[in-house]
Amino acid sequence: MQTEEGTLEEQHSQIQRVGNNSSNQLSQLMEDKEEDMAKSALTNFRAKEEEIEKKKLEVREKVRAQLGRVEEETKRLAVIREELEALTDPMRKEVAAVRKKIDAVNRELKPLGQSVQKKEKEYKEVLDIFNEKNKEKSQLLSKLMEVNSVYPTSSQEINFL
């Protein structure tokens, strides 16, 4: 019986060892799987990080290139603005000079126009007087001719007229 008990205990202990072994193996397998999953997750994470870094670099390069183009265009615009200012400044100066001359001529024309109006008025008055005197002379000549026809006189007096 003792041998049977001893065998039983031995079997029992073997079963426990096998159970412990399988438990150990199972836990070892679980740990290995977890470790593999962790390594895989870590590898995936690193791959994603590298991909993100590559994209960051690409975006940086694109932004730098675009900034370079923007700076070039800004310089071109500044040059064009300077050229336009150079073109418009002489025109502004020229226009201002012409306007100044026009104003000066206008100031000179105003008194001259008034003088012309005054002289035209005097001319009309003198012309009216001249016409009146001419008319009077014509009337007198007509009267003289009439008187001469009624009373003939010498030819010298007629030539005088």
Side-chain angles (χ1 to χ4, degrees):
M1 231 179 77
Q2 271 190 356
T3 52
E4 274 183 33
E5 275 183 28
T7 0
L8 269 173
E9 278 182 28
E10 219 175 274
Q11 284 177 351
H12 185 64
S13 88
Q14 274 183 346
I15 291 175
Q16 272 185 341
R17 273 189 255 141
V18 169
N20 283 341
N21 268 348
S22 27
S23 216
N24 285 340
Q25 286 178 348
L26 184 60
S27 69
Q28 185 66 34
L29 280 173
M30 294 285 279
E31 285 176 15
D32 287 348
K33 278 187 179 182
E34 286 177 13
E35 193 176 311
D36 286 345
M37 285 175 55
K39 284 181 182 177
S40 174
L42 185 61
T43 305
N44 284 341
F45 180 76
R46 286 183 180 156
K48 292 278 185 188
E49 275 187 335
E50 287 176 14
E51 189 178 323
I52 289 170
E53 284 300 316
K54 284 180 186 177
K55 286 185 178 181
K56 278 184 183 177
L57 290 174
E58 288 175 8
V59 168
R60 279 187 193 140
E61 288 304 313
K62 286 180 182 178
V63 167
R64 282 184 188 147
Q66 206 163 11
L67 282 175
R69 284 185 291 237
V70 167
E71 287 174 2
E72 288 174 19
E73 292 300 317
T74 302
K75 287 176 186 176
R76 272 187 63 217
L77 283 173
V79 168
I80 290 170
R81 184 178 294 123
E82 287 175 12
E83 289 174 357
L84 282 174
E85 286 175 4
L87 289 175
T88 56
D89 275 350
M91 286 174 30
R92 285 183 189 163
K93 289 177 184 176
E94 189 175 328
V95 166
V98 169
R99 284 185 178 161
K100 224 177 205 180
K101 288 179 183 178
I102 289 171
D103 290 342
V105 169
N106 277 339
R107 283 190 296 272
E108 291 174 15
L109 278 176
K110 189 174 181 178
L112 290 173
Q114 290 171 345
S115 177
V116 165
Q117 287 177 346
K118 184 179 176 183
K119 302 260 180 187
E120 283 178 343
K121 185 178 177 183
E122 288 175 5
Y123 171 76
K124 287 179 184 176
E125 289 173 358
V126 171
L127 185 62
D128 286 344
I129 294 170
F130 176 77
N131 286 337
E132 278 181 38
K133 293 294 177 183
N134 250 349
K135 192 176 181 182
E136 190 179 329
K137 177 185 169 187
S138 295
Q139 288 173 351
L140 289 172
L141 280 175
S142 296
K143 193 172 188 179
L144 180 63
M145 294 293 255
E146 192 178 298
V147 171
N148 260 348
S149 62
V150 173
Y151 305 107
T153 58
S154 69
S155 60
Q156 287 179 347
E157 289 179 14
I158 294 175
N159 284 338
F160 167 73
L161 300 172

